[in-house]
């Protein structure tokens, strides 16, 4: 009998939440393993590249958020109808990760005393750069990122956005009605709504 | 008629080199457009997302280097045989990208933190990644995934090419499996031909 897949990540939403959204979307039963920050150093050596999230299927561990998302997307019809469309969807997800990397650099890597300058740049340049382009894609694609239909890029954004807002301490979709509508649309997908209602409540 | 391909990027290896490797490997002719720094601002609005590299296929534009690489990997027969294998390829490529980002963050750090970042890179980050990648290659018969050539191997070799330029060193020097795989890719006839004829670039 097949063992349930196991997702291992910190006890927060962060980079794990898009994966949890996709697992919920596919009605996939899984073990949602969480650990606290302090436990990470001793768990690190267990992971293929010392990082999380990691998805374990039948004893095999795979790291890397996007790789996992893409695998789940394929299994749930969220990856476009051909290679070119798949590339366009991947491109959006990669751009969201570029934005997330800017957040990680500003809020989680830069020492607190050097943060103000980076935060200013993030809020005044980086965020508007990305959000205005995401907004435009949605406007041109009937409310979804690619070709007018739901793909893993839409779910990825919705799963990631709260983490951004937690860091900036304001809703980053304010002023971007299409993005707001997309997040609401994804969060109201019944399986995802059910997950949001029952998930552990965490600060990030 | 075969599609027309165009790659647009700065005059460096960096993010576009995996794309150029894959097109070369597939024997696909492409227009290799290199943009000077000063000319870039006025070209931004013509791109899908205000960034490069951009791949144009018969006039349709795509962005994001790894999304493009994955697409080209499929076109040239270097994708995985099933979803799970593709997952492993993706995970490996993303890991190499993490390594590349760490290098870029150190090389382009502001003066105040550069020395310390470079030290962390050399003492911790590079050994961490290269050690594991070296092991992965050893366990996979000399390739990154499942004992066969995939686009992950070309991506790694192109990344090593660029990072060596940026750090002015050979990062694979102490990692024999990484070194052998990189050499293997560089010696593939079409890649060898590309590396011999491409414009020279610092990184």
């Amino acid at each position: 009998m097949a063992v349930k897949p196991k997702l291992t990540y910190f006890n927060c939403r962060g980079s794990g939440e898009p994966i949890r959204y996709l697992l919920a979307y596919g009605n996939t039963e899984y073990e949602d393993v969480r650990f606290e920050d302090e436990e990470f150093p001793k768990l690190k050596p267990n992971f293929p590249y010392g990082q999380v999230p990691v998805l374990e299927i039948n004893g095999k561990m795979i790291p890397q958020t996007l790789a996992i998302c893409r695998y789940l997307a394929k299994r749930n019809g969220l990856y476009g109808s051909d290679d070119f469309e798949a590339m366009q969807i991947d491109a959006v997800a990669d751009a969201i990760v570029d934005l997330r990397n800017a957040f990680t650099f500003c809020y989680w890597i830069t020492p607190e005393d050097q943060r103000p300058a980076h935060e200013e740049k993030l809020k005044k340049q980086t965020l508007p750069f990305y959000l205005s382009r995401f907004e435009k894609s949605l406007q041109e694609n009937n409310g979804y990122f690619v070709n007018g239909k739901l793909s893993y890029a839409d779910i990825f954004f919705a799963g990631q956005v709260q983490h951004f807002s937690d860091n900036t301490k304001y809703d980053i979709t304010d002023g971007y009605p299409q993005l707001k509508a997309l997040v609401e649309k994804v969060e109201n997908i019944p399986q995802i709504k059910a997950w949001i209602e029952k998930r552990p409540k965490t600060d990030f | 008629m075969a599609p027309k391909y165009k790659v647009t990027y700065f005059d460096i290896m960096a993010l576009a080199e995996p794309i150029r490797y894959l097109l070369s490997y597939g024997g696909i002719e492409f227009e290799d457009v290199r943009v000077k720094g000063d000319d870039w601002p006025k070209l931004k609005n013509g791109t899908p997302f205000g960034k490069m590299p951009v791949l144009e296929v018969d006039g349709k534009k795509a962005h994001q280097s790894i999304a493009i690489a994955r697409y080209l990997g499929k076109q040239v027969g270097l994708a995985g045989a099933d979803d799970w294998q593709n997952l492993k390829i993706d995970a490996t490529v993303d890991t190499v990208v993490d390594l590349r980002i760490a290098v870029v963050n150190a090389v382009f750090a502001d003066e105040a933190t550069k020395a310390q970042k470079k030290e962390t890179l050399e003492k911790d980050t590079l050994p961490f990644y290269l050690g594991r990648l070296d092991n992965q290659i050893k366990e996979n018969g000399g390739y990154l995934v499942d004992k066969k050539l995939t686009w992950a191997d070309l991506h790694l070799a192109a990344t090593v090419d660029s990072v060596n330029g940026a750090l002015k060193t050979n990062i694979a020097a102490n990692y024999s499996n990484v070194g052998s795989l990189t050499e293997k890719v560089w010696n593939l006839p079409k890649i060898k031909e590309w590396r011999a004829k491409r414009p020279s670039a610092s990184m």
Side-chain angles (χ1 to χ4, degrees):
Chain A
M1 194 178 82
V3 170
K4 276 194 286 197
K6 185 161 92 173
L7 176 69
T8 305
Y9 189 59
F10 293 99
N11 183 21
C12 69
R13 287 168 277 109
S15 290
E17 205 61 10
I19 299 173
R20 296 183 184 120
Y21 274 32
L22 284 164
L23 286 161
Y25 180 85
N27 287 314
T28 310
E29 275 198 46
Y30 68 102
E31 229 186 299
D32 181 28
V33 176
R34 294 159 181 256
F35 56 83
E36 301 299 332
D37 289 0
E38 316 81 76
E39 298 174 73
F40 186 53
K42 70 174 190 298
L43 295 171
K44 219 172 141 76
N46 299 332
F47 308 123
Y49 285 92
Q51 290 180 320
V52 284
V54 164
L55 184 71
E56 193 176 322
I57 297 187
N58 293 331
K60 299 198 185 118
M61 276 195 196
I62 303 289
Q64 291 293 354
T65 309
L66 278 179
I68 296 166
C69 283
R70 200 171 297 111
Y71 174 77
L72 294 172
K74 280 180 216 175
R75 299 177 88 69
N76 291 295
L78 293 170
Y79 200 33
S81 17
D82 60 43
D83 289 348
F84 199 87
E85 207 166 271
M87 172 166 58
Q88 291 173 301
I89 295 167
D90 285 343
V92 174
D94 285 354
I96 297 168
V97 168
D98 281 351
L99 176 57
R100 194 197 67 198
N101 288 342
F103 268 83
T104 304
F105 181 78
C106 176
Y107 292 102
W108 300 87
I109 290 177
T110 303
E112 213 165 326
D113 56 330
Q114 291 169 38
R115 194 167 299 155
H118 292 284
E119 197 171 3
E120 172 101 5
K121 180 171 179 231
L122 181 76
K123 289 181 176 174
K124 294 253 162 76
Q125 291 175 38
T126 318
L127 261 175
F129 178 91
Y130 281 94
L131 296 181
S132 62
R133 280 170 169 77
F134 289 146
E135 182 81 0
K136 184 160 180 273
S137 293
L138 294 175
Q139 234 153 29
E140 294 172 351
N141 282 288
N142 219 22
Y144 295 100
F145 277 119
V146 174
N147 286 346
K149 23 190 239 258
L150 184 72
S151 72
Y152 86 87
D154 303 295
I155 297 183
F156 189 85
F157 183 82
Q160 190 67 71
V161 70
Q162 182 62 53
H163 182 70
F164 294 148
S165 300
D166 290 338
N167 280 302
T168 55
K169 301 202 190 339
Y170 66 84
D171 184 342
I172 62 153
T173 64
D174 282 348
Y176 299 96
Q178 294 275 347
L179 283 171
K180 248 195 217 298
L182 174 67
V183 174
E184 206 177 306
K185 196 152 54 187
V186 171
E187 287 182 348
N188 278 316
I189 295 171
Q191 315 88 293
I192 295 184
K193 188 172 182 169
W195 162 249
I196 293 172
E197 268 155 30
K198 77 174 190 190
R199 70 183 169 189
K201 307 283 174 273
T202 53
D203 290 340
F204 286 103
Chain B
M1 201 176 81
K4 291 187 62 144
Y5 289 83
K6 181 159 95 173
V7 178
T8 307
Y9 190 56
F10 295 110
D11 190 7
I12 48 175
M13 291 180 271
L15 294 176
E17 204 60 13
I19 297 171
R20 297 176 182 131
Y21 270 39
L22 283 161
L23 288 163
S24 303
Y25 175 87
I28 298 173
E29 274 200 43
F30 64 99
E31 209 188 322
D32 181 29
V33 177
R34 290 163 187 251
V35 174
K36 294 198 189 355
D38 295 336
D39 294 334
W40 168 231
K42 62 182 187 296
L43 296 173
K44 253 181 197 261
N45 285 337
T47 62
F49 215 80
K51 294 200 176 227
M52 299 193 288
V54 170
L55 176 76
E56 215 170 303
V57 185
D58 277 347
K60 286 188 298 190
K61 292 184 189 178
H63 70 114
Q64 282 292 351
S65 60
I66 300 302
I68 293 168
R70 185 174 304 103
Y71 172 79
L72 292 174
K74 288 179 209 172
Q75 308 315 304
V76 303
L78 292 179
D82 57 44
D83 289 347
W84 185 258
Q85 201 170 72
N86 281 319
L87 174 55
K88 287 193 279 191
I89 292 168
D90 284 345
T92 303
V93 169
D94 285 352
T95 299
V96 174
V97 168
D98 283 351
L99 165 62
R100 186 190 58 81
I101 290 175
V103 171
V104 166
N105 284 341
V107 169
F108 292 99
D110 42 44
E111 285 310 315
T113 53
K114 190 184 283 206
Q116 189 242 311
K117 284 198 170 153
K118 277 194 145 178
E119 181 163 346
T120 305
L121 185 73
E122 270 150 46
K123 294 243 165 73
D124 297 335
T125 320
L126 281 178
F128 176 88
Y129 281 101
L130 292 170
R132 278 174 164 72
L133 287 166
D134 200 69
N135 215 47
Q136 183 172 329
I137 295 165
K138 193 160 91 172
E139 290 176 352
N140 278 286
Y143 297 96
L144 279 164
V145 175
D146 286 350
K147 305 188 162 109
K148 62 178 211 202
L149 187 72
T150 65
W151 65 277
D153 302 300
L154 266 65
H155 175 265
L156 175 67
T159 303
V160 169
D161 216 346
S162 177
V163 166
N164 281 352
L167 295 177
K168 302 193 200 330
T169 184
N170 171 17
I171 58 164
N174 296 323
Y175 300 95
S176 59
N177 295 290
V178 175
S180 298
L181 173 56
T182 308
E183 290 291 328
K184 187 155 59 189
V185 172
W186 286 348
N187 280 319
L188 293 169
K190 296 254 171 55
I191 303 286
K192 192 168 184 170
E193 192 187 312
W194 165 250
R195 291 180 85 241
K197 77 175 188 193
R198 68 185 173 185
S200 68
S202 57
M203 61 175 75

